[in-house]
Amino acid sequence: MTGIGGVEMGALAARTRALAVLRVRSRAVAVALLPAAAAVILLVGGSTGHLVGGGWDVLRRVVSVLALCVLLAAAGVALVVARSRPAVTPTVTVAEESAPDLYRMVRDLADRLDVPAPSAIALTPDCDSWLEDRAHPRHGPPPVDRHDDDLSGLGEPARRRSAAAAPVLVIGSPFLWWMRVGELRAVLAPVVAGTGPSAHPDIAAARRFIRGLDAAVAVASADRRDPLSRVACAGLGWVSRLLLRGCREHATGMERGVAAAAAERAQAVDYGLRIVAQEQVGLAYAGWDRLLTRVALPAWRMGRWPSRLDVGVVAALTELSRRDRLAEGFASRLGERPACDLLEEPGTMDEAVSLLAARLFHGGPAETGPDWSPVGWGEYPEEVVDRTWRTDAARLHRVLDTLGVRRAAGGTAPGTDGPTLARVLDHLTIPDTEPPAPSPTDPHAGYGGPGAPHPEADAATETASGTAAGPGTPAPGAGTQAGYGDDLDAPPPGNGDLDAPPPGYGDLDAPPPGYGDHDAPDDEDDDDLAGTTARGAALAAGLSAQLAREEAQARPGGAGVPSSPPGPGAGAGPDAALWDGRALPLLPLQPPRTGREILTAHITAMVCCAAMDTAGAAPGLDWLDGPSLLVDGARTADLAPSVLSLVETGDPGPLRAWMTDLGIRPEKPVRLV
């Protein structure tokens, strides 16, 4: 449905809402000028002999001083709003010389839609695409000389808007590697169409005003030591938030109008293919999420970052297509040309996006170093899976030593006092005389058997339940990142609504517990440990405290913005100059694990080490579930219930039966790191 003169109704609604936002700005200016106007009236009245007398003189002085203070405060707020740099999304810029075919496709698409072409293209490690205005407010587009009631400019602003002021097209990198060229074009059509209404002067001015207010709130939220600065920032924050509240409803309606206009204009371009492409968007979202949380995260925890995440998402989505009944037939698309062929050096770009993903989702350093090195998919089982298991097994035995648990039972053969799985099983096995599980307030109550708890265990329990939050719960971003993700500063609604996965995607069987986050538990762990045995609760508390100490000593040191553009390849790296990286990770993947999950993960790791050293098993990589144990080349998927039986009830029977079937010898020492 179109409006007057072929202009989309959504564009008309967007402009109406934009004018409402600008009226809020005008009212704020009027309020700031009101005391000055009153002072002028009083001064003019006194000079003309109409408002004379002692009372009027006092009133003139008071109002003049008030007007001066209000004008100074308003000028300060206006200056901060105008000069503060709005938050931008961390991305990897794609230079035109490194992707001429991609730029050509986007420009052809803009010509077909009769809208301005985006000024640049950037990649983000996320399953979404949007337009982002990165022109500083002081360098906004020049005003266009036309009558306010002339609406014909809504449909053709391309010829009056400079390329430098056009927004940047941000594309989710998983789309480039998973989608075909035609599918990517169909997905980007409604996004690129948004440059048309977005270029209207009223809409652009309203957006600049809102982004400036958002940036001013970020400035006011920064820590200040000077009392005068704190007072000034408090006033700045109050005024900015007040104006934002007044603009919120109109800004939301404006963005909806822009999105509606873009969707309406894009209907004529690849409409049938867009329906198929939306299914691929949902599939990409599910596979990308599983790849990050179950494959990439264990590597990041070990100080390694997978350098080909986008290649991995293709493998993960292919596996998801094979497993998921809703994705049948999608694998046949792989014979078509992938969208990553539009890049001259897709490997270099993939590596840069992979490093940016590690920074955003984990908080890793900006550059490769001795403790932060890339890892290829071929090296992943040995460099990540094997090291993770052996590191966890070593930590488990260190905590057992702290608790005073004997290395081997009396009368055992020489040479069997090393780190064995039997030591863990014997310790967690509940004897017939074992008292019931402790209460949440006293995890050591009733603890008996060999190896009474070391005094450090009590301190470990306190640390695990209170102070050992770990680095997985970062504070919200400060500086220019404040407001990141706010409704007023988010991409226009509709440009990113393709990323919701259809029902059924990602509903595969969960991986064995413990292959994710290594953070210490929070205050709710007491209730979680109440479902375990007394020995299990004490061991979980010690492991949680040990993990918290290790992570406190080895926090990622690359939180600051690097002095030089990072990135593994020349000309391809995260745009560090555009965003504030002092508060990382910006988007943590998982909450801290509970004590039960930590204990289960370490016992699972010990079992896997024993299987590798005594039964010929091998570490493996499952594209959807992450680290896996391979026996005779096949993945074992029935280990988790046996481990949970030992943790929750102290019954080693199911686990011993499982190990007997595979020929695992728990009395043999294993190799640790």
Side-chain angles (χ1 to χ4, degrees), residues 457-498:
D458 295 330
T461 304
E462 180 182 354
T463 304
S465 61
T467 60
T473 53
T480 60
Q481 291 301 331
Y484 178 78
D486 189 272
D487 289 342
L488 301 179
D489 206 26
N495 289 352
D497 57 359
L498 301 180

Side-chain angles (χ1 to χ4, degrees), residues 118-275:
S119 60
I121 298 176
L123 299 183
T124 178
D126 198 1
C127 291
D128 201 357
S129 296
W130 65 88
L131 294 171
E132 187 167 285
D133 189 357
R134 294 184 175 178
H136 194 276
R138 291 177 297 172
H139 303 291
V144 179
D145 294 332
R146 64 173 182 84
H147 195 273
D148 288 342
D149 295 332
D150 183 12
L151 300 180
S152 60
L154 285 171
E156 48 182 24
R159 291 176 290 277
R160 296 193 297 268
R161 183 173 173 91
S162 63
V168 174
L169 174 61
V170 181
I171 304 175
S173 63
F175 294 166
L176 278 174
W177 268 260
W178 174 245
M179 290 186 173
R180 310 300 100 179
V181 173
E183 294 169 348
L184 180 65
R185 179 187 179 93
V187 168
L188 294 181
V191 182
V192 175
T195 60
S198 299
H200 188 272
D202 294 334
I203 297 176
R207 283 180 166 176
R208 288 196 300 271
F209 177 59
I210 294 170
R211 286 196 303 269
L213 290 176
D214 187 68
V217 171
V219 172
S221 302
D223 293 334
R224 309 284 180 178
R225 295 184 178 180
D226 183 14
L228 182 60
S229 299
R230 286 199 298 268
V231 172
C233 288
L236 171 64
W238 181 82
V239 173
S240 300
R241 292 185 181 91
L242 179 64
L243 293 176
L244 279 175
R245 285 194 295 269
C247 296
R248 179 174 288 113
E249 182 179 353
H250 300 302
T252 302
M254 178 183 67
E255 299 298 351
R256 288 175 179 169
V258 170
E264 182 179 351
R265 180 167 293 229
Q267 285 182 355
V269 179
D270 300 332
Y271 181 76
L273 186 58
R274 196 179 312 144
I275 299 176

Side-chain angles (χ1 to χ4, degrees), residues 275-424:
I275 299 176
V276 179
Q278 288 180 7
E279 297 177 347
Q280 301 305 318
V281 170
L283 185 66
Y285 183 93
W288 180 250
D289 178 72
R290 294 178 74 97
L291 181 76
L292 290 181
T293 57
R294 306 188 182 187
V295 178
L297 187 58
W300 295 336
R301 293 295 185 187
M302 294 300 298
R304 309 295 297 273
W305 55 278
S307 58
R308 293 293 187 270
L309 281 180
D310 289 305
V311 172
V313 78
V314 175
L317 292 173
T318 304
E319 179 66 15
L320 181 60
S321 300
R322 184 185 66 83
R323 295 187 193 180
D324 198 329
R325 60 181 179 85
L326 297 178
E328 292 179 359
F330 285 163
S332 61
R333 307 166 39 262
L334 299 181
E336 305 174 13
R337 185 190 181 194
C340 63
D341 283 355
L342 300 174
L343 303 175
E344 291 292 318
E345 297 181 358
T348 301
M349 202 62 61
D350 191 3
E351 194 169 353
V353 173
S354 299
L355 180 58
L356 178 59
R359 298 205 70 202
L360 294 180
F361 299 117
H362 177 63
E367 298 176 350
T368 298
D371 298 327
W372 186 245
S373 57
V375 60
W377 293 125
E379 306 167 348
Y380 187 95
E382 291 294 333
E383 295 294 329
V384 176
V385 180
D386 184 84
R387 284 183 56 196
T388 299
W389 286 341
R390 298 190 187 278
T391 300
D392 287 353
R395 185 182 301 110
L396 176 62
H397 281 278
R398 286 198 302 270
V399 174
L400 288 175
D401 292 338
T402 302
L403 295 177
V405 179
R406 289 181 300 220
R407 283 269 174 172
T412 56
T416 60
D417 58 346
T420 63
L421 177 58
R423 181 194 189 195
V424 180

Side-chain angles (χ1 to χ4, degrees), residues 359 363-366 556-563 576 579-584:
R359 298 205 70 202
V561 177
S563 58
W579 57 284
D580 183 5
R582 290 174 292 180
L584 294 172

Side-chain angles (χ1 to χ4, degrees), residues 13-26 148 200 202-203 206 250 254:
R15 188 202 173 198
T16 301
R17 292 290 190 168
L19 292 175
V21 172
L22 296 179
R23 281 195 293 271
V24 172
R25 184 182 65 178
S26 300
D148 288 342
H200 188 272
D202 294 334
I203 297 176
H250 300 302
M254 178 183 67

